Amino acid sequence: MRILTAAVLVACLFTSPASAATCSEAIAHCKQDESRHPDADPQCAGAGQACMKTGIFIGPYTRKAWRGLVRQ
């Protein structure tokens, strides 16, 4: 079980919006990465709207913040 948990955490790190340069890219990554959640589209869109104002995308499920994104 510990190996599975560690594998999932590593997978999340490599499939995160961290590679996004803009808020729009972060939204797209979020929707793709979190598609297993039935409410991913509105949650990711909400995080994207906040990013458009601040330049910081906070993952709606991971709560991890990606700073310095271009607001587009």
Side-chain angles (χ1 to χ4, degrees), residues 1-2 5 7 9-10 13 16 18 25-26 29-30 34-36 39-41 49-50 53-55 64 70:
M1 186 66 171
R2 289 182 186 169
T5 303
L9 290 174
V10 169
L13 290 174
S16 67
E25 289 175 2
H29 283 291
C30 178
E34 303 300 341
S35 64
R36 68 186 177 281
D39 62 342
D41 283 355
Q49 288 176 348
K53 295 177 184 174
T54 65
K64 185 173 179 180
V70 176

Side-chain angles (χ1 to χ4, degrees), residues 6-25:
V8 169
L9 290 174
V10 169
C12 288
L13 290 174
F14 289 109
T15 59
S16 67
S19 62
T22 68
C23 294
S24 297
E25 289 175 2

